[in-house]
Amino acid sequence: MDMDFPERFDPMRLLLSRVKKPFRYIGCDWKGSTEGLEGKKTTLCLAFPDAYEVGMSYLGFQILHSLAGETPETGVDRCYCPWPDMEAELKHNSVPLCALDSGKPLKEFHVVGFTLQYELTVTNILTMLDLGGIPLRSEKRGPDTPIVAAGGPGALTPEPFAPFIDVFCLGDGEILLPELLEVCRSCGNERKTVLQELSRREGFYVPSSTPAGKEARFRRPFRKQVVKNLDESFVPETMVVPASGIIHDRAAVELFRGCTRGCRFCQAGMMYRPLRERSPEKVVEVARKLVENTGWEELGLVSLASCDYPGLEKVIAELEPFLEERRVKLSLPSLRMDAFSVGLASRLRSMGRGGLTFAPEAGTQRLRNVINKGISDEDIERTFDEVFRQGWDRIKLYFMMGLPTEREEDLKGIIETGRLARHIAKKSGKRAKVSLSVAGFVPKAHTPFQWEPQDVRRKLYEKGTSLKREAKGNGIRLNYHDPDQSFLEAAIALGGREVSQAIEKAWKKGARFDGWTECFDIGIWESAFEECGLNPESWVNRPRFPEKGLPWDHIDVGVSREFLLRERELALRETVTDDCRRGECHACGWQDKGCPIPGGRNR
Ligand code: SF4
């Protein structure tokens, strides 16, 4: 493989000897045929507000990078958030934040496009803007500053980020990015004209186009745009290959987009509807090209629930000889809790014997019915049985605490499930390592639980410590997610535009990489909210009433409010809703907007 070491003067490189993990900043990754910025009409810097090794692992970012590289007259580069040690060095030496491959400062691009993947990366956006020489707030940006765009799931709850972003792209990047770039080109990258033009188009939300004094929720619904046919849409045949280890160090092909399982807590499952499947033939074709073009030693077949893909066996059967010949491992990152999935994992010797991970989410059948997690007690038992029979001796299970209607026995059920795993392992003659990971429930926008409160932090701490104690007594490892982080996640996820003040204040006080436990400091956020006169408990820990408006009401993700309310009712009655991929349509809102599922269409 040819490595292209850019021959350029990049002041950031001068600081490499003084920071941890300098590989984050060297820009020596292999980028296939991506051309430089030279002579391009519009230049785009894709910005990921987290560390290099996280951003490089994100498939969506790779898709956008390839897509922009193939868009006519567009030059593309990328940038990840510098770790606080590099931030300090850049500031101390008055060096601007530069894009990784060209070494060009962020402020010299026409467009800087952020991926909003996780609420707790928001302060990193401010760090990148500030170091890149771009004013933090849209209202302070002059005609020569880049257009700051944002996409990804966070764009569908835009208000807390709105003052910092010029335009939100709502929906699939394969449609929106080329359109955004085309508007930039045709408007000569003239900031005001571009934003005016975008504000008239579907799928773009320009907060500054909301007349002053009027709340965004009174404006027209801004509709998410979706790719209708994954086989016909853009798919990368090569990717940026890292020069050093990253979190998910593999090539990846998306099997399908969207999910119809209908888990009531899951934002991705609701937001990414409708379901669109890539044909097995296309998956195989893309997978082969990716492996040949990148030289990666692992290929992931990814989607929200990969084992639900009807063509999975066919894809694996066709790919196996090809991958074996090249010694490439095949992995399925999301395993369903059933014997079929374990059998499949077992067939993929490449998935290793290290251990398997599943997400029962709740400890009892009753609570799993409430959240619509379609797993029965029998499924769990059969899965454990199969896991240990097939030779694994480690298992990791994900749960949530503080779910709506949770009772004492549901928490006990978490430990009971861990004990059951150990018991079944013992029957197969194994001393299994069982680890449980428990996160506090975060109510999310555009889900049936968007009106539910989060448990107060004290309660989550009590539940977490009591679970940990119980687990220890039963020889099980248990970790629980920091309730302060879950609280902040909810405060941003459920907040309105006023939260942006606290975000800016917290950033000024030093909040950085809030999703990383070693950097997170809730004290900073508590004082920031207080100084802004905001009490996040008032919207995080209290229920919202359906008759009142929500800060994201102006964003239409396609799933209807009526469906969400109906699902909420069913949750409270502990009643499950079947997966519409296998049964009848539940009229989620996509039924008359081109849902491609037979039976769902035109109902
Ligand atoms: S419209 Fe019907 S079939 Fe389509 S995703 Fe919604 S509930 Fe399922």
Side-chain angles (χ1 to χ4, degrees):
M1 180 193 297
D2 289 336
M3 298 293 294
D4 56 352
F5 291 88
E7 279 182 29
R8 57 184 160 78
F9 171 72
D10 178 352
M12 278 175 68
R13 293 175 156 225
L14 297 177
L15 310 172
L16 292 181
S17 61
R18 301 193 213 144
V19 296
K20 277 187 272 175
K21 304 193 177 175
F23 65 81
R24 289 169 167 161
Y25 316 103
I26 56 176
C28 291
D29 303 329
W30 183 82
K31 294 174 294 298
S33 56
T34 312
E35 294 168 24
L37 307 176
E38 213 64 13
K40 303 292 182 187
K41 269 198 177 157
T42 299
T43 53
L44 164 73
C45 181
L46 290 168
F48 199 92
D50 210 323
Y52 163 88
E53 58 271 34
V54 179
M56 271 294 288
S57 304
Y58 179 55
L59 176 61
F61 198 72
Q62 291 269 14
I63 294 176
L64 295 180
H65 187 268
S66 292
L67 175 63
E70 291 188 19
T71 305
E73 300 175 278
T74 302
V76 62
D77 204 334
R78 63 210 163 100
C79 188
Y80 308 91
C81 188
W83 197 252
D85 59 349
M86 181 54 127
E87 181 191 347
E89 288 294 338
L90 291 172
K91 275 198 178 137
H92 181 72
N93 294 284
S94 305
V95 172
L97 180 62
C98 299
L100 203 54
D101 303 312
S102 62
K104 188 180 169 101
L106 257 57
K107 66 175 178 200
E108 291 177 17
F109 282 81
H110 295 119
V111 185
V112 174
F114 283 97
T115 297
L116 298 178
Q117 190 60 20
Y118 176 39
E119 291 82 356
L120 299 195
T121 59
V122 62
T123 49
N124 294 347
I125 296 176
L126 303 194
T127 306
M128 293 174 83
L129 290 173
D130 182 53
L131 292 173
I134 302 169
L136 296 188
R137 290 188 167 250
S138 184
E139 69 207 14
K140 297 266 187 305
R141 291 177 196 146
D144 295 330
T145 29
I147 290 160
V148 178
L156 300 171
T157 49
E159 291 311 311
F161 319 106
F164 316 121
I165 304 295
D166 297 321
V167 56
F168 290 96
C169 307
L170 314 173
D172 291 332
E174 291 93 336
I175 294 184
L176 296 164
L177 185 65
E179 189 171 349
L180 174 98
L181 293 168
E182 182 266 311
V183 170
C184 288
R185 258 192 327 273
S186 61
C187 297
N189 302 309
E190 209 276 307
R191 182 180 165 79
K192 202 168 156 202
T193 329
V194 170
L195 292 177
Q196 261 169 7
E197 178 55 33
L198 289 174
S199 72
R200 287 193 279 267
R201 298 194 177 208
E202 282 290 5
F204 295 97
Y205 169 48
V206 179
S208 60
S209 69
T210 308
K214 279 205 174 176
E215 286 199 45
R217 66 168 168 258
F218 300 125
R219 305 285 300 155
R220 72 177 164 95
F222 294 88
R223 283 199 183 86
K224 182 184 89 169
Q225 300 297 295
V226 296
V227 161
K228 293 206 170 75
N229 185 331
L230 278 194
D231 277 0
E232 287 166 14
S233 85
F234 175 82
V235 56
E237 291 179 357
T238 187
M239 287 179 168
V240 183
V241 184
S244 53
I246 56 170
I247 292 179
H248 299 304
D249 204 354
R250 63 182 176 221
V253 192
E254 195 181 10
L255 298 175
F256 59 89
R257 198 168 293 178
C259 179
T260 50
R261 297 209 139 219
C263 299
R264 292 172 179 138
F265 58 88
C266 179
Q267 192 179 42
M270 296 291 159
M271 259 184 188
Y272 292 138
R273 285 185 183 207
L275 182 88
R276 290 141 294 158
E277 284 168 2
R278 185 162 275 147
S279 68
E281 295 73 24
K282 188 76 185 175
V283 172
V284 171
E285 179 195 322
V286 175
R288 282 169 171 264
K289 283 187 182 151
L290 271 178
V291 168
E292 272 164 3
N293 292 341
T294 64
W296 238 307
E297 290 155 357
E298 184 176 334
L299 172 77
L301 299 177
V302 301
S303 48
L304 286 172
S306 297
C307 291
D308 285 357
Y309 180 63
L312 191 57
E313 295 227 50
K314 184 172 179 201
V315 165
I316 292 174
E318 288 202 18
L319 279 178
E320 256 176 346
F322 168 80
L323 297 177
E324 253 170 45
E325 196 185 311
R326 285 162 180 76
R327 302 220 177 102
V328 175
K329 289 200 280 181
L330 187 63
S331 65
L332 286 174
S334 49
L335 280 187
R336 205 166 57 189
M337 273 209 102
D338 59 21
F340 165 78
S341 306
V342 181
L344 208 58
S346 164
R347 238 182 74 200
L348 303 179
R349 281 178 291 113
S350 48
M351 282 190 69
R353 299 278 114 186
L356 291 182
T357 301
F358 300 94
E361 311 287 7
T364 59
Q365 187 68 64
R366 185 199 71 81
L367 193 53
R368 284 196 300 274
N369 290 351
V370 169
I371 63 174
N372 208 41
K373 186 85 195 178
I375 300 174
S376 65
D377 284 341
E378 294 73 40
D379 289 333
I380 294 180
E381 216 171 310
R382 271 199 295 268
T383 304
F384 290 162
D385 197 48
E386 194 68 15
V387 167
F388 300 119
R389 257 184 351 102
Q390 296 281 358
W392 277 280
D393 59 5
R394 262 191 284 160
I395 195 164
K396 183 167 185 181
L397 305 171
Y398 283 100
F399 290 94
M400 277 186 279
M401 57 183 170
L403 281 162
T405 81
E406 182 187 75
R407 300 172 189 160
E408 190 60 40
E409 63 259 32
D410 300 312
L411 292 170
K412 283 200 181 119
I414 295 178
I415 304 296
E416 285 306 316
T417 312
R419 276 165 50 106
L420 178 70
R422 276 175 62 90
H423 175 71
I424 293 177
K426 214 168 166 186
K427 279 204 300 188
S428 316
K430 291 210 165 57
R431 270 176 66 90
K433 284 201 182 105
V434 177
S435 47
L436 311 180
S437 175
V438 187
F441 162 65
V442 180
K444 287 285 172 101
H446 307 295
T447 70
F449 290 160
Q450 64 179 354
W451 295 280
E452 301 302 318
Q454 186 181 57
D455 261 358
V456 294
R457 283 180 276 167
R458 182 184 41 77
K459 234 178 177 179
L460 286 178
Y461 271 113
E462 282 168 12
K463 287 176 181 179
T465 39
S466 137
L467 281 170
K468 207 169 166 77
R469 207 173 34 244
E470 279 287 308
K472 204 171 171 195
N474 284 286
I476 299 164
R477 277 172 58 125
L478 184 142
N479 285 312
Y480 67 95
H481 190 70
D482 181 354
D484 286 330
Q485 275 181 317
S486 304
F487 171 75
L488 180 62
E489 190 181 329
I492 298 172
L494 302 167
R497 202 173 283 196
E498 65 286 355
V499 174
S500 62
Q501 301 164 39
I503 291 172
E504 192 173 343
K505 186 137 293 197
W507 174 77
K508 284 187 174 149
K509 286 168 173 284
R512 302 286 187 278
F513 286 90
D514 299 286
W516 296 65
T517 35
E518 65 263 50
C519 300
F520 179 66
D521 180 352
I522 190 66
I524 293 180
W525 284 92
E526 284 169 339
S527 64
F529 278 116
E530 199 182 323
E531 284 171 33
C532 295
L534 296 170
N535 172 18
E537 279 85 1
S538 69
W539 68 85
V540 172
N541 302 129
R542 289 187 206 148
R544 280 154 288 279
F545 297 101
E547 52 280 7
K548 290 208 169 162
L550 296 166
W552 49 89
D553 278 349
H554 54 306
I555 305 295
D556 179 2
V557 300
V559 170
S560 70
R561 186 172 176 279
E562 292 69 36
F563 171 73
L564 297 182
L565 276 170
R566 233 172 22 240
E567 280 298 294
R568 180 181 182 238
E569 264 307 305
L570 291 169
L572 298 178
R573 284 196 262 131
E574 301 169 9
T575 307
V576 296
T577 299
D578 296 335
D579 184 343
C580 57
R581 203 186 218 169
R582 292 175 189 85
E584 65 178 81
C585 168
H586 307 295
C588 71
W590 280 100
Q591 66 278 9
D592 43 14
K593 289 185 288 212
C595 170
I597 301 175
R601 190 183 292 146
N602 301 328
R603 282 175 66 104

